[in-house]
Amino acid sequence: MSTSHAHGEYKVPGGKLVVADFEVQDGRLAQVSINGDFFLEPDEALADINAALTGLPEDTPPQEMVERIEAALPGNAVLFGFDARAVVIAVRRALARATSWADHEWEVIPALVRPTLENLALDEVLAREVGAGRRNPTLRFWDWDEPAVVIGSFQSVANEVDPEAAQRHGVQVVRRVSGGGAMFMEAGNCITYSLYLPQTLVDGLSFADSYPFLDAWVMQAFKDMGVEAFYVPLNDIATPQGKIGGAAQKRFANGGMVHHVTMSYDIDAEKMTDVLRVGKEKLSDKGIRSAKKRVDPLRRQTGMAREDVIAALSRTFTDRYAAGVGKVSDSELAAARELIEHKFGTDEWIHRVP
């Protein structure tokens, strides 16, 4: 009989630490002990959680583990500071099927002016490189000097963009690989970054929970800048004064993913609402009539220059995750330019949803 000891920890964002200790005996969990600084009532429910996990094959899918725990808990159970999914993440980390930020060597690629299509193609190339194990997980800041509307992977060009207004303002219309809404981008008007990571980092997290989890460092950075930022599910980043940005993700089959965020720094709301077709339906659940009121730029809120905000974000990430300075390699850039030619720059891609 083969036996090994496993230990995993998971700190719930804004919550408590959950620790999983157990043995793996012939591929199954044994001697399971879930512990931590969380609160749980009734006291006996802890034994129910341990029993629900005991005997499970180590390759049990995370959602099945969550359901087993939830089914085992008594109806009057109260979990404070954690939940069944947090327990499963700790278990998966103990099994080395999930990873933490500290398990990786991170890099930060500083902002460099690139064509918008190059920025888009690099998102796919670098995410796939991380998934293939050829690149460390990476944070890359964008920069650009050409006006563009970047629509989400599943959006209709006709429904999102006024073509006459786009032509009048010289705005290029392109499509990114991730879902979500349209981004109106002029030189200096946004702060945009992409995070390339292995999906093991978000293993066990729901899609909804993965967004604030991956941007916890951003909230810390804004707090240090005196800005109270928070997530509005699913993917909006906001302050008490209004929305400042939105996030989007794309997960690739080889295990890599990109988490992408664009925040408004000094947006031209008049031009944005001229070029974008912001429908009444989109605004109907916001309690407001104008898209201009949805976005409250960071320039006003921080009083800082755009490059200083980017520097503060980079500094927080670097300090928090001991990140080094990285760069796009020649081979990655060549792959991105090939992707532009065959995918991102083609009418077939840009108009794949007419």
Side-chain angles (χ1 to χ4, degrees):
M1 183 173 69
S2 62
T3 301
S4 60
H5 180 73
H7 173 89
E9 300 182 0
Y10 174 62
K11 171 68 168 59
V12 178
K16 298 297 183 179
L17 179 68
V18 181
V19 181
D21 290 295
F22 53 88
E23 306 288 338
V24 179
Q25 297 179 356
D26 291 335
R28 292 182 177 271
L29 276 58
Q31 307 296 320
V32 178
S33 172
I34 302 301
N35 53 95
D37 61 356
F38 51 77
F39 298 91
L40 175 64
E41 294 290 346
D43 198 76
E44 297 76 26
L46 184 60
D48 296 327
I49 294 174
N50 292 336
L53 293 169
T54 298
L56 285 182
E58 61 178 322
D59 59 357
T60 300
Q63 184 56 36
E64 186 177 330
M65 286 188 180
V66 170
E67 292 169 358
R68 285 287 295 263
I69 293 170
E70 291 177 342
L73 289 168
N76 64 338
V78 177
L79 288 70
F80 186 73
F82 79 121
D83 58 14
R85 194 170 295 279
V87 172
V88 172
I89 293 172
V91 170
R92 300 276 292 182
R93 286 186 175 178
L95 292 167
R97 297 173 189 270
T99 56
S100 68
W101 294 89
D103 292 326
H104 303 286
E105 291 186 22
W106 292 89
E107 296 180 7
V108 177
I109 298 177
L112 178 67
V113 173
R114 299 180 183 276
T116 302
L117 285 171
E118 195 168 284
N119 279 316
L120 293 174
L122 280 171
D123 268 5
E124 178 165 337
V125 170
L126 299 187
R128 289 187 183 277
E129 288 295 287
V130 170
R134 292 188 291 265
R135 159 172 284 282
N136 287 335
T138 301
L139 170 68
R140 179 176 72 92
F141 288 96
W142 290 32
D143 211 346
W144 61 95
D145 58 11
E146 55 189 3
V149 168
V150 183
I151 64 173
S153 180
F154 309 107
Q155 289 188 300
S156 158
V157 177
N159 287 341
E160 297 300 323
V161 182
D162 182 323
E164 293 181 358
Q167 186 174 23
R168 185 169 63 251
H169 294 294
V171 174
Q172 178 186 22
V173 179
V174 295
R175 184 185 298 274
R176 65 179 183 271
V177 74
S178 56
M183 299 150 44
F184 178 72
M185 305 177 68
E186 290 186 293
N189 79 341
C190 296
I191 293 172
T192 298
Y193 64 82
S194 295
L195 197 59
Y196 312 105
L197 60 139
Q199 293 173 36
T200 54
L201 187 61
V202 294
D203 183 276
L205 288 173
S206 67
F207 274 86
D209 288 342
S210 71
Y211 280 84
F213 173 76
L214 292 175
D215 284 330
W217 63 276
V218 180
M219 304 306 149
Q220 178 187 327
F222 279 129
K223 184 178 180 181
D224 293 344
M225 286 183 257
V227 175
E228 180 190 347
F230 50 87
Y231 249 85
V232 178
L234 173 68
N235 63 330
D236 283 352
I237 299 175
T239 71
Q241 286 71 44
K243 175 180 174 179
I244 57 174
Q249 293 180 2
K250 170 66 177 177
R251 305 184 183 205
F252 294 94
N254 75 345
M257 65 178 285
V258 56
H259 175 87
H260 170 100
V261 170
T262 291
M263 295 177 286
S264 170
Y265 175 72
D266 190 19
I267 207 155
D268 184 336
E270 292 285 349
K271 190 182 295 184
M272 179 186 74
T273 53
D274 193 26
V275 173
L276 295 183
R277 300 186 193 275
V278 182
K280 293 180 181 178
E281 184 66 24
K282 188 177 290 187
L283 298 175
S284 63
D285 66 340
K286 309 295 181 182
I288 54 179
R289 293 187 176 184
S290 170
K292 301 173 191 177
K293 297 178 182 176
R294 289 184 62 197
V295 180
D296 196 81
L298 284 171
R299 180 178 181 178
R300 188 184 69 78
Q301 291 203 35
T302 64
M304 296 167 62
R306 177 174 176 267
E307 57 267 26
D308 291 337
V309 176
I310 293 173
L313 291 168
S314 179
R315 186 167 54 250
T316 297
F317 187 92
T318 298
D319 292 347
R320 184 165 173 150
Y321 303 124
V325 178
K327 66 178 183 177
V328 175
S329 71
D330 291 342
S331 61
E332 289 167 336
L333 186 56
R337 288 173 176 169
E338 186 175 345
L339 260 185
I340 293 171
E341 183 179 345
H342 298 293
K343 180 177 180 178
F344 288 98
T346 67
D347 284 341
E348 289 81 4
W349 172 256
I350 295 169
H351 294 277
R352 76 183 190 111
V353 183

